[in-house]
mmCIF file of all heavy atoms in Angstrom:
data_model
loop_
_atom_site.group_PDB
_atom_site.id
_atom_site.type_symbol
_atom_site.label_atom_id
_atom_site.label_comp_id
_atom_site.label_asym_id
_atom_site.label_seq_id
_atom_site.Cartn_x
_atom_site.Cartn_y
_atom_site.Cartn_z
ATOM 1 N N SER Y 57 -48.229 -22.777 9.457
ATOM 2 C CA SER Y 57 -46.984 -22.984 10.189
ATOM 3 C C SER Y 57 -46.973 -22.209 11.508
ATOM 4 O O SER Y 57 -47.562 -21.131 11.635
ATOM 5 C CB SER Y 57 -45.818 -22.547 9.309
ATOM 6 O OG SER Y 57 -44.900 -21.783 10.012
ATOM 7 N N LEU Y 58 -46.275 -22.791 12.491
ATOM 8 C CA LEU Y 58 -46.164 -22.146 13.804
ATOM 9 C C LEU Y 58 -45.511 -20.767 13.665
ATOM 10 O O LEU Y 58 -45.900 -19.817 14.346
ATOM 11 C CB LEU Y 58 -45.284 -22.995 14.715
ATOM 12 C CG LEU Y 58 -45.792 -23.468 16.059
ATOM 13 C CD1 LEU Y 58 -44.638 -23.920 16.914
ATOM 14 C CD2 LEU Y 58 -46.557 -22.370 16.790
ATOM 15 N N ALA Y 59 -44.537 -20.684 12.784
ATOM 16 C CA ALA Y 59 -43.821 -19.422 12.611
ATOM 17 C C ALA Y 59 -44.764 -18.292 12.226
ATOM 18 O O ALA Y 59 -44.568 -17.139 12.618
ATOM 19 C CB ALA Y 59 -42.722 -19.581 11.575
ATOM 20 N N THR Y 60 -45.792 -18.622 11.480
ATOM 21 C CA THR Y 60 -46.757 -17.609 11.064
ATOM 22 C C THR Y 60 -47.573 -17.118 12.262
ATOM 23 O O THR Y 60 -47.889 -15.934 12.371
ATOM 24 C CB THR Y 60 -47.696 -18.171 9.974
ATOM 25 O OG1 THR Y 60 -46.896 -18.551 8.866
ATOM 26 C CG2 THR Y 60 -48.711 -17.145 9.526
ATOM 27 N N VAL Y 61 -47.911 -18.036 13.154
ATOM 28 C CA VAL Y 61 -48.615 -17.630 14.365
ATOM 29 C C VAL Y 61 -47.738 -16.663 15.158
ATOM 30 O O VAL Y 61 -48.180 -15.583 15.567
ATOM 31 C CB VAL Y 61 -48.959 -18.848 15.250
ATOM 32 C CG1 VAL Y 61 -49.633 -18.395 16.534
ATOM 33 C CG2 VAL Y 61 -49.847 -19.818 14.495
ATOM 34 N N TYR Y 62 -46.480 -17.044 15.324
ATOM 35 C CA TYR Y 62 -45.565 -16.170 16.063
ATOM 36 C C TYR Y 62 -45.444 -14.811 15.395
ATOM 37 O O TYR Y 62 -45.465 -13.778 16.052
ATOM 38 C CB TYR Y 62 -44.182 -16.814 16.169
ATOM 39 C CG TYR Y 62 -44.054 -17.792 17.311
ATOM 40 C CD1 TYR Y 62 -43.997 -19.146 17.090
ATOM 41 C CD2 TYR Y 62 -43.999 -17.339 18.625
ATOM 42 C CE1 TYR Y 62 -43.879 -20.057 18.135
ATOM 43 C CE2 TYR Y 62 -43.881 -18.232 19.674
ATOM 44 C CZ TYR Y 62 -43.821 -19.592 19.433
ATOM 45 O OH TYR Y 62 -43.711 -20.465 20.470
ATOM 46 N N SER Y 63 -45.335 -14.800 14.083
ATOM 47 C CA SER Y 63 -45.102 -13.513 13.424
ATOM 48 C C SER Y 63 -46.345 -12.640 13.492
ATOM 49 O O SER Y 63 -46.238 -11.424 13.646
ATOM 50 C CB SER Y 63 -44.619 -13.715 11.995
ATOM 51 O OG SER Y 63 -45.701 -13.877 11.133
ATOM 52 N N THR Y 64 -47.515 -13.252 13.407
ATOM 53 C CA THR Y 64 -48.746 -12.462 13.515
ATOM 54 C C THR Y 64 -48.880 -11.870 14.916
ATOM 55 O O THR Y 64 -49.216 -10.694 15.083
ATOM 56 C CB THR Y 64 -49.977 -13.338 13.194
ATOM 57 O OG1 THR Y 64 -49.824 -13.877 11.888
ATOM 58 C CG2 THR Y 64 -51.250 -12.521 13.260
ATOM 59 N N LEU Y 65 -48.575 -12.674 15.916
ATOM 60 C CA LEU Y 65 -48.647 -12.178 17.286
ATOM 61 C C LEU Y 65 -47.620 -11.068 17.514
ATOM 62 O O LEU Y 65 -47.918 -10.062 18.172
ATOM 63 C CB LEU Y 65 -48.419 -13.314 18.280
ATOM 64 C CG LEU Y 65 -49.594 -14.286 18.407
ATOM 65 C CD1 LEU Y 65 -49.212 -15.482 19.269
ATOM 66 C CD2 LEU Y 65 -50.810 -13.576 18.998
ATOM 67 N N ALA Y 66 -46.448 -11.236 16.956
ATOM 68 C CA ALA Y 66 -45.407 -10.220 17.118
ATOM 69 C C ALA Y 66 -45.868 -8.904 16.510
ATOM 70 O O ALA Y 66 -45.670 -7.826 17.077
ATOM 71 C CB ALA Y 66 -44.104 -10.691 16.470
ATOM 72 N N LEU Y 67 -46.507 -9.022 15.347
ATOM 73 C CA LEU Y 67 -47.020 -7.835 14.668
ATOM 74 C C LEU Y 67 -48.066 -7.124 15.528
ATOM 75 O O LEU Y 67 -47.992 -5.921 15.775
ATOM 76 C CB LEU Y 67 -47.626 -8.246 13.323
ATOM 77 C CG LEU Y 67 -48.334 -7.171 12.501
ATOM 78 C CD1 LEU Y 67 -47.342 -6.091 12.106
ATOM 79 C CD2 LEU Y 67 -48.979 -7.786 11.260
ATOM 80 N N LEU Y 68 -49.041 -7.893 16.011
ATOM 81 C CA LEU Y 68 -50.123 -7.310 16.801
ATOM 82 C C LEU Y 68 -49.600 -6.719 18.118
ATOM 83 O O LEU Y 68 -50.072 -5.700 18.595
ATOM 84 C CB LEU Y 68 -51.188 -8.368 17.087
ATOM 85 C CG LEU Y 68 -51.964 -8.835 15.856
ATOM 86 C CD1 LEU Y 68 -52.835 -10.032 16.199
ATOM 87 C CD2 LEU Y 68 -52.829 -7.696 15.306
ATOM 88 N N LYS Y 69 -48.623 -7.386 18.665
ATOM 89 C CA LYS Y 69 -48.025 -6.909 19.906
ATOM 90 C C LYS Y 69 -47.336 -5.575 19.655
ATOM 91 O O LYS Y 69 -47.496 -4.631 20.417
ATOM 92 C CB LYS Y 69 -47.004 -7.951 20.385
ATOM 93 C CG LYS Y 69 -46.802 -8.001 21.856
ATOM 94 C CD LYS Y 69 -46.132 -9.309 22.306
ATOM 95 C CE LYS Y 69 -44.856 -9.633 21.536
ATOM 96 N NZ LYS Y 69 -44.068 -10.719 22.186
ATOM 97 N N GLU Y 70 -46.594 -5.528 18.567
ATOM 98 C CA GLU Y 70 -45.870 -4.305 18.240
ATOM 99 C C GLU Y 70 -46.847 -3.154 18.001
ATOM 100 O O GLU Y 70 -46.581 -2.009 18.325
ATOM 101 C CB GLU Y 70 -45.026 -4.537 16.989
ATOM 102 C CG GLU Y 70 -44.019 -3.431 16.718
ATOM 103 C CD GLU Y 70 -43.753 -3.304 15.229
ATOM 104 O OE1 GLU Y 70 -43.511 -4.342 14.578
ATOM 105 O OE2 GLU Y 70 -43.823 -2.162 14.725
ATOM 106 N N MET Y 71 -48.007 -3.490 17.428
ATOM 107 C CA MET Y 71 -49.025 -2.472 17.182
ATOM 108 C C MET Y 71 -49.789 -2.111 18.450
ATOM 109 O O MET Y 71 -50.632 -1.219 18.438
ATOM 110 C CB MET Y 71 -50.027 -2.990 16.133
ATOM 111 C CG MET Y 71 -49.437 -3.135 14.747
ATOM 112 S SD MET Y 71 -50.557 -4.056 13.636
ATOM 113 C CE MET Y 71 -51.915 -2.892 13.460
ATOM 114 N N GLY Y 72 -49.522 -2.840 19.514
ATOM 115 C CA GLY Y 72 -50.224 -2.579 20.771
ATOM 116 C C GLY Y 72 -51.650 -3.090 20.778
ATOM 117 O O GLY Y 72 -52.464 -2.674 21.589
ATOM 118 N N GLU Y 73 -51.958 -4.020 19.877
ATOM 119 C CA GLU Y 73 -53.332 -4.511 19.793
ATOM 120 C C GLU Y 73 -53.565 -5.796 20.584
ATOM 121 O O GLU Y 73 -54.688 -6.244 20.712
ATOM 122 C CB GLU Y 73 -53.731 -4.718 18.329
ATOM 123 C CG GLU Y 73 -53.725 -3.446 17.504
ATOM 124 C CD GLU Y 73 -54.755 -2.423 17.975
ATOM 125 O OE1 GLU Y 73 -55.781 -2.825 18.551
ATOM 126 O OE2 GLU Y 73 -54.511 -1.222 17.778
ATOM 127 N N VAL Y 74 -52.510 -6.416 21.028
ATOM 128 C CA VAL Y 74 -52.679 -7.539 21.951
ATOM 129 C C VAL Y 74 -51.806 -7.322 23.185
ATOM 130 O O VAL Y 74 -50.742 -6.735 23.102
ATOM 131 C CB VAL Y 74 -52.321 -8.923 21.352
ATOM 132 C CG1 VAL Y 74 -53.136 -9.236 20.133
ATOM 133 C CG2 VAL Y 74 -50.839 -9.019 21.065
ATOM 134 N N GLN Y 75 -52.322 -7.785 24.304
ATOM 135 C CA GLN Y 75 -51.538 -7.800 25.524
ATOM 136 C C GLN Y 75 -50.972 -9.202 25.681
ATOM 137 O O GLN Y 75 -51.683 -10.174 25.460
ATOM 138 C CB GLN Y 75 -52.420 -7.551 26.743
ATOM 139 C CG GLN Y 75 -52.734 -6.116 27.047
ATOM 140 C CD GLN Y 75 -53.468 -6.027 28.378
ATOM 141 O OE1 GLN Y 75 -52.883 -6.155 29.451
ATOM 142 N NE2 GLN Y 75 -54.769 -5.828 28.320
ATOM 143 N N GLU Y 76 -49.725 -9.269 26.057
ATOM 144 C CA GLU Y 76 -49.139 -10.570 26.337
ATOM 145 C C GLU Y 76 -49.154 -10.785 27.838
ATOM 146 O O GLU Y 76 -48.668 -9.959 28.603
ATOM 147 C CB GLU Y 76 -47.698 -10.586 25.825
ATOM 148 C CG GLU Y 76 -47.019 -11.917 25.958
ATOM 149 C CD GLU Y 76 -45.591 -11.845 25.458
ATOM 150 O OE1 GLU Y 76 -44.734 -11.320 26.186
ATOM 151 O OE2 GLU Y 76 -45.333 -12.273 24.332
ATOM 152 N N LEU Y 77 -49.739 -11.881 28.257
ATOM 153 C CA LEU Y 77 -49.748 -12.223 29.674
ATOM 154 C C LEU Y 77 -48.729 -13.315 29.890
ATOM 155 O O LEU Y 77 -48.795 -14.351 29.238
ATOM 156 C CB LEU Y 77 -51.130 -12.746 30.072
ATOM 157 C CG LEU Y 77 -52.283 -11.801 29.802
ATOM 158 C CD1 LEU Y 77 -53.608 -12.478 30.089
ATOM 159 C CD2 LEU Y 77 -52.129 -10.550 30.642
#
Side-chain angles (χ1 to χ4, degrees):
Chain Y
S57 135
L58 235 197
T60 300
V61 177
Y62 276 107
S63 85
T64 302
L65 287 172
L67 175 63
L68 292 171
K69 209 162 51 167
E70 192 209 312
M71 292 169 68
E73 297 296 333
V74 302
Q75 278 187 76
E76 185 181 77
L77 303 174

